[in-house]
Amino acid sequence: MPPVVRRLPAYEPPVGGPARIPLPRPRPVWVPAPEPPPPALDAARLLSVVLEVLDGRRPARLLREVAVPVLAARLGGAVRARTTRMVRPPRVCHPSRLVAEMSVTLRREGRVVAAACRAEHSGGRWWVTSFTVLE
């Protein structure tokens, strides 16, 4: 079968009209990430309150001041007498301006374990929304 030749549409600009020259694209402007709203996140305080309640060194009602109600009820039922200490200061990552994810290494009952926590800023405060001890 012989090749088929088709006529292409005109691709030259029209003659006689004003030539339209595309404008250069604006250069992106670097904008620093805004700081989280006050109060500043105190990761060590949030984690220590949760850990002290879980160890039975503080009353479970304190969880209502730092955690969302669903998490406070769940953690309030997991209170046991034990000793937990933070081995190092917590590591904090901010996936967004109003969210912080924290991890910390703990020494509990002669073992070293890790804990992960998520806090969100709402209503002018930081609230713990998730907490897990990885044993």
Side-chain angles (χ1 to χ4, degrees), residues 22-95:
L23 297 174
R25 289 185 179 177
R27 296 187 143 231
V29 178
W30 182 77
V31 178
E35 291 295 318
L41 173 67
D42 187 359
R45 184 190 72 81
L46 279 177
L47 287 169
S48 64
V49 167
V50 172
L51 292 171
E52 289 173 1
V53 168
L54 289 176
D55 289 350
R57 291 183 279 157
R58 288 186 178 234
R61 64 180 164 77
L62 288 181
L63 285 175
R64 291 181 291 195
E65 297 176 12
V66 295
V68 293
V70 174
L71 182 66
R74 182 176 64 90
L75 292 177
V79 174
R80 248 180 52 194
R82 58 184 160 213
T83 304
T84 303
R85 299 279 183 238
M86 282 192 236
V87 176
R88 294 183 182 177
R91 293 179 180 251
V92 181
C93 169
H94 285 277

Side-chain angles (χ1 to χ4, degrees), residues 101-123:
E101 293 177 349
M102 301 164 275
S103 64
V104 67
T105 307
L106 308 170
R107 181 171 300 279
R108 177 185 273 182
E109 298 171 349
R111 294 179 50 206
V112 176
V113 295
C117 176
R118 180 180 174 102
E120 296 178 8
H121 191 275
S122 174

Side-chain angles (χ1 to χ4, degrees), residues 1-7:
M1 178 171 209
V4 177
V5 179
R6 294 189 180 123
R7 183 175 296 271

